[in-house]
Amino acid sequence: AEVPPEPDPGSEPVAVVTAAQAIDSATGEYLEVRNDDDSATGLVGDTLADLVTVSGDVPAGAFLTLELYRDDLEAKPICHDPIWVSEPIEVPEAGVYEVIGPVAEQAGRYHWRETLAVGDVTLARGRCGVAAETVWVADPPVTPTPSPSPVPTPELPLLLTGGEPPKPAILPLSGAQTRLYSLIATALIALGTPLALRHHRRSAYTARHS
């Protein structure tokens, strides 16, 4: 590789700071949960991303390239054979550059590694396994399936089951109901007495003239 050119006197050296991210598959938002060592967390199905902050006097023609690696939680991070490589990203000036990577299809530990270069000259190269460049991806929690509610058994009529029909309940009468029924009975007796007398007289008249 070519040797980087000496910076001009008075210019600010170029520096690159990165922060691995996971984008929630449901909301499309960056997940805010991070570990104590500043590594990111995510679930299978989330999108992996990286935020690259470039500072200093960026030379003309600079570009970024990012590589993504994965391992099965080995004790030492492995950065061989990347599973994904970005297209070159032009860096015309200092600033924050967002790189959207692939969807995490497996649980494991993912590492980003960035390279800032001009042509074949490397200006900055990230180290393998830096905590801020790591995303820990886990399988999503399993949601238990609720058991269906039991269907109640309908009660069959007593005639079909052979049981005795329920006896009608005899409800006690209130004082008002008793007085009402007494008045009705008195009225019926009063109306029935003249009718009975009239019927008796008509029968006697018929007997005398027959």
Side-chain angles (χ1 to χ4, degrees):
E2 296 184 18
V3 178
E6 292 291 333
D8 296 333
S11 65
E12 183 180 354
V14 176
V16 178
V17 178
T18 55
Q21 306 287 332
I23 301 176
D24 192 325
S25 60
T27 64
E29 302 291 336
Y30 283 115
L31 295 172
E32 300 295 335
V33 179
R34 302 188 77 87
N35 296 315
D36 294 338
D37 61 356
D38 202 29
S39 59
T41 61
L43 298 175
V44 172
D46 292 342
T47 300
L48 304 176
D50 201 11
L51 294 179
V52 183
T53 302
V54 180
S55 60
D57 294 327
V58 181
F63 64 90
L64 273 170
T65 304
L66 278 89
E67 303 163 357
L68 181 64
Y69 303 85
R70 176 190 171 277
D71 61 62
D72 293 316
L73 311 183
E74 298 289 343
K76 183 178 180 181
I78 299 174
C79 291
H80 300 295
D81 300 325
I83 63 172
W84 186 85
V85 179
S86 72
E87 296 291 334
I89 303 167
E90 294 183 0
V91 182
E93 58 185 359
V96 179
Y97 295 85
E98 180 186 46
V99 180
I100 304 298
V103 172
E105 298 180 352
Q106 292 178 277
R109 182 170 53 183
Y110 291 79
H111 316 278
W112 287 103
R113 195 175 187 186
E114 79 286 353
T115 301
L116 179 66
V118 175
D120 293 332
V121 178
T122 299
L123 302 178
R125 171 75 166 159
R127 292 183 294 110
C128 176
V130 177
E133 281 287 77
T134 301
V135 183
W136 298 84
V137 176
D139 289 314
V142 178
T143 304
T145 303
S147 302
S149 302
V151 180
T153 303
E155 297 183 359
L156 297 177
L158 294 174
L159 293 178
L160 297 180
T161 59
E164 295 182 358
K167 296 180 181 181
I170 301 177
L171 301 177
L173 299 178
S174 62
Q177 290 175 324
T178 302
R179 290 193 295 272
L180 176 61
Y181 291 155
S182 177
L183 291 175
I184 293 174
T186 302
L188 291 176
I189 293 173
L191 291 174
T193 301
L195 293 175
L197 292 175
R198 185 182 301 173
H199 178 73
H200 175 73
R201 291 171 182 171
R202 183 177 297 175
S203 299
Y205 176 81
T206 303
R208 288 197 299 269
H209 292 82
S210 58

